[in-house]
Amino acid sequence: MGIKHVLSISDFSADEIFGEILTRCEEKVTFVERRIPREPDPTKKVQLLFLEPSTRTRGSNVEAAQLLGYRTDEVIGKEASSFIKKETFANTARMFAKYNAGIIIARAGVEGAQKFMAELLEREGYHCAVHNAGDRTNQHPTQTILDLLTLKRHLGRVDDFTIGFFGDLKYGRTVHSLLCALSYQESVKVKVVQTSETALQAQYIEMFPGRIETVDSLEGLEGCDVAYGSRLQEERFKIDQLTLDNLRKKLMITPAMMKILGSVLFMHPMPYVQEFPFQVRSDKRIIIDDQAWCGVPVRVALQEMSFENLGMTNFFPYSPEENLSVIENCSLKNYRKSRQGREKKFGVYFNPIDNGTVIDKIPAELGLKVKSFLLSSDQLKNSAPIHHIDRIFETSLEGGKEVLILRDNFVSEETKMLVTSWAPTITFNEIREDRFLKIRAKKLVEVQGFGRCPNKNCITNNDPEAATKFVHVGDALRCWYCEKKFERSQIV
Ligand code: NCD
């Protein structure tokens, strides 16, 4: 499968990141070193949209596009665009695509904005890729690829090393993206310098079971192969001056600290503020200039790949077929036979209809909600009433279960996914033409259009066209757009 959009590192497989993409980036190094642009190709246009400040990401993308012979247009800052007049991401994406952009490279202060634009363009049939150049505190996937290229060039490998993170691990998107990629490499060990103001969230720590260590100061990074810094993202959190000054001191790579850390290489996405004082700036172990340069070959490779795959449409990893599994499929007769023992024992229902759906294992008190959703969604073709069985205790469900019987009615895949998002225990027993099918959600389910994402910076709370969408991760739900993890109770 080719690479078209670059939205989140977690959309890619390990093979794609460390194989296909990284190899392509390495191949582009000499092309960029030669500095000879290709013949202009006016049919290819790259649209940059930077609603948050940038020097490197924007500059290296423009350089990459121009080396490749593509046309570029840049919209920089909200003030310079109709965003200041409350234009939406949806309409901005449509306009850029209409004006022949093959790639939109966007940086935004709204999490998931790029993923939303990419989906919308797919749905509406535009041949336009989207690259996420940073969505607030969430992801910065192209930075991660250039970080990996830097590691490859300086360590000679992208596995079997120890990397220490310091700085703003809570809000630094480059840290989050890089951790997502490194979590694939079992031989990579991670250390994090945690401070109460900037601590890395649990969802990233959980990605490294048994191979992440938290330390409370820079000295703790001794023995690492690489130390990766991140600027305190002052614009994202309120902090008093004294605490800020203390944090800065704590996270500064002084000449004395360089001595303690010995052969550790230092990386940083830049800009840095106090992290590297001028006395250490030119030390060979600080490889940030080459790291920033790697942005050019990486963006050459990624832009080229996107243009090669503009015709691709199916980038969404989770479809109903993948979300729902048929866990039983037999003749109705056999099914009923197998249930007879249970029936006798408990004296309660077993699927009493010959055609239709029995929605089973609904946790107590959710039955009415499911019922009213089904009635309002006007997908029930038959006017037969929904029969609601309240509370059956003979079940493995703690607190009892409820059952809905839909005679002569079947519900859509989307509804099944939505309903199982409220409770993954729910099963759909479909009975038709003497066959019995039991359908249940797989572990990973995409559910659309319910609840609200609790994150106010998520695109679903910032664009009227962006519907909510969550993916199951164990018992929790992860927002499809901002990628933050929530407990079910925070959403439903
Ligand atoms: C960073 C970013 O914008 O995420 N820089 C970059 O893109 N190279 C880091 C930052 O702003 O601190």
Side-chain angles (χ1 to χ4, degrees):
M1 204 167 111
I3 307 293
K4 177 179 175 182
H5 304 284
V6 185
L7 303 168
S8 168
I9 281 293
S10 40
D11 292 341
F12 297 126
S13 66
D15 283 348
E16 284 172 326
I17 299 170
F18 298 97
E20 200 177 338
I21 298 178
L22 202 54
T23 310
R24 182 77 166 251
C25 295
E26 286 184 88
E27 285 165 10
K28 294 299 160 190
V29 165
T30 41
F31 168 68
V32 174
E33 280 170 345
R34 258 194 264 123
R35 300 203 225 175
I36 303 169
R38 282 201 197 138
E39 283 294 308
D41 180 352
T43 66
K44 296 195 170 69
K45 179 178 172 187
V46 174
Q47 177 68 55
L48 289 99
L49 171 69
F50 277 74
L51 302 174
E52 281 193 340
S54 169
T55 298
R56 276 150 290 271
T57 308
R58 187 179 65 83
S60 58
N61 265 301
V62 170
E63 178 63 5
Q66 292 180 353
L67 282 172
L68 288 164
Y70 305 157
R71 287 188 290 141
T72 56
D73 178 45
E74 299 181 47
V75 172
I76 299 166
K78 280 188 174 170
E79 303 70 26
S81 70
S82 286
F83 272 95
I84 198 84
K85 304 181 215 167
K86 301 195 167 49
E87 175 92 287
T88 61
F89 282 97
N91 284 328
T92 305
R94 288 185 182 108
M95 291 311 113
F96 286 155
K98 279 217 182 297
Y99 302 150
N100 296 328
I103 311 176
I104 298 171
I105 300 176
R107 170 169 286 187
V110 176
E111 286 154 6
Q114 293 86 344
K115 193 175 265 183
F116 165 66
M117 292 197 285
E119 278 184 337
L120 177 132
L121 294 172
E122 293 277 341
R123 207 170 48 232
E124 299 188 358
Y126 292 103
H127 283 190
C128 180
V130 180
H131 288 194
N132 178 3
D135 58 334
R136 202 178 180 92
T137 66
N138 181 37
Q139 281 269 325
H140 193 345
T142 66
Q143 174 74 38
T144 294
I145 307 296
L146 79 85
D147 292 341
L148 295 175
L149 181 61
T150 311
L151 286 163
K152 191 77 192 276
R153 282 159 67 83
H154 290 264
L155 281 185
R157 61 189 189 278
V158 282
D159 58 358
D160 196 22
F161 61 86
T162 302
I163 183 166
F165 287 90
F166 67 98
D168 200 335
L169 314 187
K170 184 170 182 187
Y171 297 102
R173 54 194 170 205
T174 67
V175 172
H176 300 158
S177 280
L178 184 53
L179 285 169
C180 287
L182 295 178
S183 70
Y184 283 125
Q185 303 288 62
E186 303 250 316
S187 57
V188 170
K189 292 194 183 66
V190 175
K191 285 189 180 186
V192 284
V193 181
Q194 294 282 58
T195 76
S196 53
E197 295 82 4
T198 62
L200 185 64
Q201 296 93 322
Q203 75 181 78
Y204 296 104
I205 294 182
E206 286 160 10
M207 291 176 178
F208 295 87
R211 50 195 179 97
I212 191 161
E213 187 190 332
T214 54
V215 295
D216 54 18
S217 68
L218 287 173
E219 279 99 328
L221 300 186
E222 213 189 323
C224 285
D225 298 285
V226 188
Y228 188 103
S230 163
R231 174 183 66 92
L232 296 171
Q233 313 270 308
E234 287 168 61
E235 68 276 31
R236 316 235 187 253
F237 64 115
K238 290 195 176 43
I239 189 170
D240 64 85
Q241 196 57 44
L242 186 68
T243 319
L244 184 64
D245 289 345
N246 285 338
L247 261 179
R248 286 207 166 125
K249 258 188 231 135
K250 192 178 156 79
L251 299 168
M252 188 189 292
I253 307 292
T254 58
M257 187 54 68
M258 294 222 58
K259 228 186 214 144
I260 294 173
L261 296 182
S263 60
V264 178
L265 295 175
F266 291 90
M267 290 174 63
H268 194 297
M270 298 220 245
Y272 63 83
V273 183
Q274 90 303 337
E275 296 93 306
F276 302 115
F278 72 94
Q279 298 94 325
V280 303
R281 177 62 175 90
S282 51
D283 192 292
K284 291 267 177 310
R285 287 167 288 179
I286 298 179
I287 56 175
I288 56 179
D289 293 316
D290 190 57
Q291 184 185 357
W293 178 85
C294 283
V296 186
V298 162
R299 280 144 186 153
V300 163
L302 293 173
Q303 289 181 23
E304 226 179 29
M305 286 171 122
S306 288
F307 271 113
E308 282 165 14
N309 295 303
L310 283 192
M312 220 172 88
T313 51
N314 56 338
F315 85 99
F316 308 110
Y318 313 118
S319 60
E321 300 82 67
E322 287 166 295
N323 279 318
L324 298 166
S325 46
V326 176
I327 52 172
E328 236 177 296
N329 182 354
C330 59
S331 75
L332 186 56
K333 214 166 106 204
N334 279 351
Y335 174 72
R336 289 196 165 149
K337 227 195 243 156
S338 74
R339 302 285 294 185
Q340 257 165 16
R342 261 182 80 82
E343 246 244 313
K344 281 212 185 89
K345 192 166 156 205
F346 297 123
V348 288
Y349 99 103
F350 67 85
N351 300 332
I353 47 173
D354 293 325
N355 186 59
T357 309
V358 176
I359 308 181
D360 196 8
K361 288 214 169 183
I362 306 173
E365 277 159 33
L366 206 65
L368 282 180
K369 178 175 172 171
V370 178
K371 183 177 172 182
S372 60
F373 173 77
L374 291 172
L375 290 172
S376 67
S377 68
D378 69 54
Q379 58 175 297
L380 302 180
K381 302 215 168 39
N382 202 288
S383 59
I386 298 180
H387 183 54
H388 178 201
I389 304 180
D390 205 4
R391 285 289 180 116
I392 298 174
F393 287 101
E394 290 73 18
T395 168
S396 52
L397 274 191
E398 214 182 298
K401 69 172 181 181
E402 298 183 16
V403 179
L404 293 173
I405 301 169
L406 283 65
R407 190 178 293 279
D408 297 331
N409 267 313
F410 297 92
V411 298
S412 68
E413 310 278 78
E414 283 70 28
T415 299
K416 288 189 191 105
M417 296 201 292
L418 177 66
V419 168
T420 44
S421 76
W422 295 337
T425 53
I426 295 176
T427 59
F428 294 84
N429 302 297
E430 294 188 345
I431 300 135
R432 60 181 126 200
E433 288 160 18
D434 289 326
R435 283 215 74 76
F436 173 85
L437 242 72
K438 191 191 279 295
I439 299 164
R440 198 177 58 190
K442 284 187 189 167
K443 266 230 162 83
L444 206 62
V445 186
E446 181 188 312
V447 288
Q448 237 167 326
F450 86 105
R452 245 179 181 290
C453 176
N455 170 13
K456 69 177 191 329
N457 297 315
C458 174
I459 184 68
T460 56
N461 292 315
N462 287 277
D463 194 302
E465 290 190 56
T468 56
K469 193 155 150 182
F470 295 91
V471 174
H472 280 249
V473 246
D475 286 338
L477 291 170
R478 191 181 65 223
C479 174
W480 171 251
Y481 294 103
C482 72
E483 303 188 53
K484 303 227 178 317
K485 225 167 115 178
F486 302 101
E487 293 307 316
R488 192 177 298 276
S489 59
Q490 290 176 273
I491 296 161
V492 179

